[in-house]
Amino acid sequence: MNTSTSPTVLVIGAGIMGAGIAQVAAQAGHAVMLFDTREGAAAAAKDKLGQSLQALIAKGRLSEQAAHAALARIQPVGRLEEAADAGLAVEAIVENLEAKRTLLRQLEALLAPEAILASNTSSISITALANGLKAPGRVVGMHFFNPVPLMKLVEVVSGLQTEAAVAERVFQLATAWGKTAVHARSTPGFIVNRIARPYYAETLALLQERASSPAVLDACLRGAGFRMGPCELMDLIGHDTNFSVTESVYQANFGDKRYQPSLVQRDMVDGGLLGRKSGRGFFAYGEGVSTPELPAPRLGALPTRVRWHDSGDGGPALAAFGQRWREALTTAGVAVETVAGSTWIGVEAEGGRLALTDGRTASQRAAEEAHAELALFDWPVVAAPGSTMAFAAAAGASPAWQGQAAAMLAAAGLQPQQVEDTPGLVVARTLAMLINEAADAVQQGVCTPEGADLAMKLGVNYPAGPFEWLARWDVRAVTALIDRLDGFYRGERYRVSPWLRRRGWAR
Ligand code: NAI
């Protein structure tokens, strides 16, 4: 056996993930043994892999020689015993604790004591998997993402007893396979499946309270830089799969309300509206189906003069947007005056205020500030020209002021979309909760801030990591926003992470 440089890799389970893992290990030069209890499955997976490699050759992405060499390194085996000299075993069998434990016991008896036993599980505790083994320290999570050859991220997951050297070795191997590895401590959802929960949960909560439509919410989040809005993404993943991941994280956290699944999604699952794969989810799919149009905003006339207020607490993203906005208004012929030392952020015109959301509803703020003509705009993290931005108006705001607020956002090059007067609007509350979840993961030692940023960018293609968003915002603005959501909804979902709370005080 050769464990030091290029160990023989045993992949158990020749399904969608196992086949992908076998491919990347073989392409990285390892001899790979592929085993599956289903008769003929390993050989069939190798045949299919041959076809995928042919496609890569046809596209000019792989040389014929490299493809043949990689394929020749993969050997389907009919019995586990044939792979006794493997230095690394990666299991990608059915997601079932008992099945995986039984397999690990077999592997422990079969492989050399220094061989590493890795699991590609996405939801089972690595600590629990290792329980019952003579040497639990050799068990580690090696969590790939689908499709394995394309997705860069590997979460290297350590359970309570995983030896640091074992995790480090798997980290190095994943890196040598062309992946970006990130260390994680075994906790429900590891890094990506945990931190991503609010991306879906906030939109599902907004839909449940009928704040807006799936098409508008998606457009707002695409405006924040996401490639796909939460609704189209849940449709792509499949509501059954997405719901079951949420449910598993919720249950693994003893029913913590922060992770509570949504009735909106439960209904879709019960009704068979699973998304793309069933032809209908939030959106309809199939031939002749067009993408839903967004409602045309009702734009009023631009005011002739405005006053720009900036308390200085908006952070760099707001400062950059504010600058662009003032320039755009000036170009549009509006006289812009800047108010130094203001207590709020936004534009004041003809007695009305269009302010940055701070987590209060417009109506609450209008009442507290005794200012009826009030509208709020969402956090402009990117606010690229042409992108959608949510705004909301206080109950007492006149239609004229609402139209004027929309016109001022349009002057900044944005597509304004009015949503119901909901706290934290769309982007601000979603990103605040993503930051909060990432902060809690770091607080609990699950990963580092850099690890969280990398994992979210590579595991789910986020345009930026949660801590990168935080750097473009303001820690006190984030904690205040979440506290106000908590005050509005009164539950356990909007609970500020101690990590953020401490930094808010220290600022
Ligand atoms: P799959 O159903 O495509 O493949 C599983 C394969 O394992 C099947 O071919 C099955 O015959 C085989 N198998 C079942 N029990 C076995 C045993 N005791 N010994 C040997 N072979 C056995 O499943 P998929 O999607 O490839 O998932 C495999 C693992 O990877 C699961 O733990 C899953 O949670 C995890 N995972 C899946 C991801 C995905 O997007 N599908 C992403 C990341 C992790």
Side-chain angles (χ1 to χ4, degrees):
M1 184 189 56
N2 177 358
T3 49
S4 56
T5 51
S6 185
T8 295
V9 177
L10 164 62
V11 178
I12 309 109
I16 184 158
M17 296 303 286
I21 296 166
Q23 180 185 336
V24 294
Q27 284 189 275
H30 294 263
V32 177
M33 308 266 198
L34 187 56
F35 173 76
D36 198 294
T37 41
R38 211 160 23 95
E39 182 94 24
K46 179 172 174 174
D47 287 346
K48 208 163 151 219
L49 227 141
Q51 291 160 20
S52 328
L53 292 176
Q54 277 302 329
L56 287 182
I57 297 169
K59 285 185 199 155
R61 296 225 207 108
L62 193 67
S63 74
E64 203 149 328
Q65 199 185 7
H68 285 150
L71 205 59
R73 285 187 203 108
I74 300 176
Q75 185 192 341
V77 292
R79 293 180 325 124
L80 269 184
E81 289 68 21
E82 293 174 51
D85 73 341
L88 168 70
V90 188
E91 74 76 18
I93 68 165
V94 60
E95 187 75 344
N96 175 288
L97 175 63
E98 273 323 306
K100 287 190 194 286
R101 268 187 178 157
T102 306
L103 172 66
L104 288 172
R105 278 196 295 270
Q106 274 177 284
L107 292 172
E108 178 171 57
L110 181 69
L111 305 185
E114 62 273 27
I116 291 174
L117 311 182
S119 171
N120 183 49
T121 181
S122 45
S123 65
I124 300 174
S125 149
I126 300 301
T127 305
L129 281 178
N131 186 2
L133 294 193
K134 290 189 198 83
R138 67 205 283 208
V139 176
V140 63
M142 193 174 191
H143 186 213
F144 290 85
F145 289 74
N146 186 18
V148 179
L150 296 183
M151 296 300 283
K152 280 270 173 207
L153 182 68
V154 175
E155 292 178 337
V156 176
V157 188
S158 292
L160 269 185
Q161 303 197 72
T162 304
E163 284 168 26
V166 167
E168 202 44 52
R169 181 78 184 108
V170 165
F171 187 100
Q172 283 163 8
L173 279 171
T175 309
W177 296 2
K179 301 295 179 194
T180 301
V182 171
H183 282 293
R185 199 165 65 78
S186 183
T187 43
F190 309 143
I191 306 175
V192 171
N193 279 341
R194 173 202 179 142
I195 296 179
R197 293 340 303 151
Y199 191 59
Y200 315 109
E202 289 310 308
T203 281
L204 290 166
L206 287 167
L207 289 171
Q208 185 158 21
E209 63 181 80
R210 303 195 163 251
S212 192
S213 68
V216 168
L217 296 174
D218 273 7
C220 291
L221 283 149
R222 282 197 303 268
F226 290 89
R227 264 186 235 173
M228 294 180 95
C231 296
E232 51 186 338
L233 183 54
M234 284 185 269
D235 273 4
L236 178 69
I237 295 168
H239 288 278
D240 47 348
T241 305
N242 191 261
F243 186 80
S244 90
V245 176
T246 306
E247 211 176 23
S248 112
V249 173
Y250 172 62
Q251 274 165 11
N253 281 290
F254 309 112
D256 185 338
K257 291 280 189 285
R258 181 134 112 208
Y259 307 105
Q260 189 174 25
S262 162
L263 278 177
V264 172
Q265 195 169 38
R266 156 111 264 169
D267 245 8
M268 317 246 329
V269 175
D270 286 351
L273 285 78
L274 303 181
R276 273 178 193 269
K277 63 183 171 189
S278 72
R280 204 178 143 197
F282 284 120
F283 305 109
Y285 299 90
E287 264 181 52
V289 182
S290 51
T291 41
E293 300 250 327
L294 298 182
R298 209 180 44 79
L299 303 182
L302 274 179
T304 50
R305 55 179 54 249
V306 301
R307 282 152 61 86
W308 170 254
H309 290 255
D310 190 351
S311 62
D313 298 329
L318 184 277
F321 173 68
Q323 169 93 24
R324 272 201 285 127
W325 198 2
R326 292 196 299 279
E327 285 166 8
L329 285 168
T330 308
T331 308
V334 180
V336 182
E337 178 197 340
T338 298
V339 181
S342 181
T343 53
W344 59 283
I345 296 169
V347 178
E348 183 179 19
E350 295 170 13
R353 288 179 180 177
L354 173 57
L356 175 68
T357 175
D358 65 2
R360 287 176 289 172
T361 63
S363 295
Q364 180 188 351
R365 212 161 142 173
E368 285 174 7
E369 294 170 6
H371 203 102
E373 295 284 48
L374 186 83
L376 301 176
F377 65 94
D378 212 347
W379 186 46
V381 57
V382 182
S387 63
T388 300
M389 173 171 285
F391 77 102
S398 67
W401 175 245
Q402 296 179 34
Q404 211 159 51
M408 285 192 286
L409 290 171
L414 302 170
Q415 304 278 339
Q417 282 292 333
Q418 187 159 3
V419 300
E420 291 301 318
D421 184 19
T422 183
L425 292 173
V426 181
V427 170
R429 69 192 267 166
T430 303
L431 296 197
M433 288 302 281
L434 286 168
I435 291 169
N436 196 50
E437 198 56 50
D440 241 12
V442 170
Q443 178 68 47
Q444 294 161 10
V446 176
C447 56
T448 61
E450 298 74 28
D453 281 350
L454 263 179
M456 301 317 286
K457 287 191 284 186
L458 299 178
V460 270
N461 293 321
Y462 280 6
F467 293 93
E468 291 171 340
W469 285 315
L470 180 60
R472 298 185 54 68
W473 205 343
D474 176 274
V475 67
R476 257 198 249 164
V478 176
T479 57
L481 189 123
I482 297 171
D483 279 337
R484 284 165 177 151
L485 285 162
D486 182 46
F488 186 89
Y489 290 110
R490 291 289 154 97
E492 294 162 40
R493 194 186 279 280
Y494 301 102
R495 199 169 66 224
V496 171
S497 162
W499 192 96
L500 281 180
R501 186 75 78 199
R502 290 196 181 101
R503 276 156 186 81
W505 285 329
R507 196 192 68 137

